[in-house]
Amino acid sequence: MLRRHRFGVPALLVMGVYLVAVAVAAGAAWVTGDLGVLWWLTVFTEADAGAAVTWPNVIVLVLAGALWAWALWQCLRGPLAGPSPTLDRDERRLRAALYASAATWLLYFAVPSWPWWVTVLDSLLMVVVVLLFRPVLTRGVKGADRTGAVGVLAYGGVAVSEVLALLGRDTPGQLNLICALATLVWTVLVLRAQWMDGRWRTATVQYGIAALLLPVLWPLAGLLAGGEAVRDALTVVDALGMVWLIRSAHDLADPRPSADSTPLPVAAEGSSPHR
C-alpha cells in the first residue's frame, strides 16, 4: 500500500509521529489532570477554562486526532504511483487552485480565530476554484455555467460580507444565509459532477459528502457522549474539507489507462507466448 502512492512512506511517517504524540498526550492528561496538550494537538486552540479530564472529553479529542491523522495520510501521500497523465491547461490550473485553497487551512493552526483577512483570502481562493472547475466540468456535465454562478455567489458573498463588516457598513441581514445555502448547493452540484466524471475516484466524492454531513452528525454524537470538547472538536470538519480539495487535485494526476491501448492477442492453445 505504501508504494501505491508517490509519497506513501513519508506520509505514513508523519501520520505515525502525530498519532504517537496524541497517544502520549492522552496518557499525560490522565496523569497530570490537564487537557492542555491534548487539546492543542487535536483542536489547535487552548483548552476551555474548566475543561475536566473526563472520558467523554478525552475520547472526543482522541477521535478528532485520529481524523486529523487520517487527513494527513490522505493529503500527504500524493497521487497514485505511475506516469502522470498529460493535463491540459484547464486541468493544471484547477489542480494548482485546489492545492492553494487547501493550503489556507494551514493558517488555522497559527490563527485559530480566523481573522477577517484569512476569511477573505480563503473565500477568494475558493472563487478561483469555482471558476476553474467550470471549464473542466463543462465537458461532461450540463449546467456547469449555472454551477459556477452559484459558487461565485457563495464564496464571493462571504468575502464581500467580511469587507463590509470591516468598513463598518451594514450588510443585508439574509446575506450570510444566502451564502450558506449557495455553498451547499454548489458543493452538491460539484460532487454530483465528480461522481459522473471518471477523473475523480468514488472515495474522493465520499469525503466531500462526509464534509457536508459531519457538521450535523458530530454535535449529535456529542449529545450522546457529553463533554466540553465536542464544540471545539468540530474543527475536524475542516480536515474532511481539506481532504476533499487535495484528493480532487491528486486524482487529476493519477495514472490513467491509455485510450489507444489494445489488448494483447490471446495465444492459441499449445502455442508459445514467446514466439
Side-chain angles (χ1 to χ4, degrees):
M1 183 179 71
L2 295 182
R3 300 297 180 183
R4 188 166 178 257
H5 297 272
R6 296 178 195 175
F7 310 109
V9 173
L12 183 65
L13 290 175
V14 173
M15 182 184 72
V17 170
Y18 177 74
L19 282 175
V20 169
V22 170
V24 171
W30 286 110
V31 173
T32 63
D34 183 8
L35 282 173
V37 176
L38 180 61
W39 202 290
W40 183 84
L41 279 174
T42 56
V43 185
F44 312 109
T45 62
E46 294 189 7
D48 288 350
V53 180
T54 61
W55 278 111
N57 279 337
V58 172
I59 289 174
V60 166
L61 293 174
V62 169
L63 286 175
L67 281 172
W68 277 111
W70 186 246
L72 286 172
W73 163 250
Q74 293 290 324
C75 295
L76 298 179
R77 67 187 187 178
L80 292 173
S84 298
T86 301
L87 303 181
D88 60 29
R89 185 182 64 175
D90 292 333
E91 291 173 324
R92 291 195 304 271
R93 289 179 173 179
L94 173 60
R95 189 164 179 253
L98 288 166
Y99 283 135
S101 181
T104 60
W105 290 106
L106 298 176
L107 294 173
Y108 183 84
F109 308 140
V111 283
S113 60
W114 276 71
W116 70 270
W117 62 270
V118 177
T119 303
V120 171
L121 174 63
D122 176 64
S123 300
L124 292 180
L125 284 173
M126 280 304 299
V127 169
V128 174
V129 169
V130 168
L131 294 175
L132 293 177
F133 247 126
R134 189 194 62 78
V136 175
L137 295 178
T138 302
R139 303 166 191 174
V141 178
K142 295 181 180 179
D145 290 334
R146 291 191 294 274
T147 300
V150 172
V152 171
L153 171 63
Y155 296 104
V158 172
V160 170
S161 177
E162 287 291 326
V163 172
L164 289 176
L166 178 67
L167 297 175
R169 302 290 182 86
D170 293 333
T171 57
Q174 304 301 321
L175 180 59
N176 291 335
L177 177 60
I178 292 172
C179 291
L181 290 176
T183 300
L184 175 63
V185 171
W186 178 81
T187 305
V188 169
L189 291 175
V190 170
L191 289 173
R192 176 179 176 273
Q194 286 184 308
W195 187 277
M196 299 167 58
D197 193 310
R199 286 169 294 185
W200 284 283
R201 287 184 281 168
T202 301
T204 299
V205 179
Q206 291 172 341
Y207 274 108
I209 295 172
L212 286 178
L213 297 179
L214 192 61
V216 177
L217 299 179
W218 186 270
L220 292 178
L223 290 175
L224 297 176
E228 301 91 343
V230 174
R231 175 177 53 81
D232 285 356
L234 189 59
T235 55
V236 296
V237 176
D238 301 339
L240 291 175
M242 183 173 63
V243 167
W244 174 61
L245 289 171
I246 292 181
R247 281 191 59 124
S248 293
H250 286 345
D251 289 357
L252 287 173
D254 280 348
R256 303 174 192 171
S258 175
D260 58 354
S261 60
T262 55
L264 295 174
V266 179
E269 184 177 355
S271 62
S272 171
H274 302 290
R275 289 176 58 183

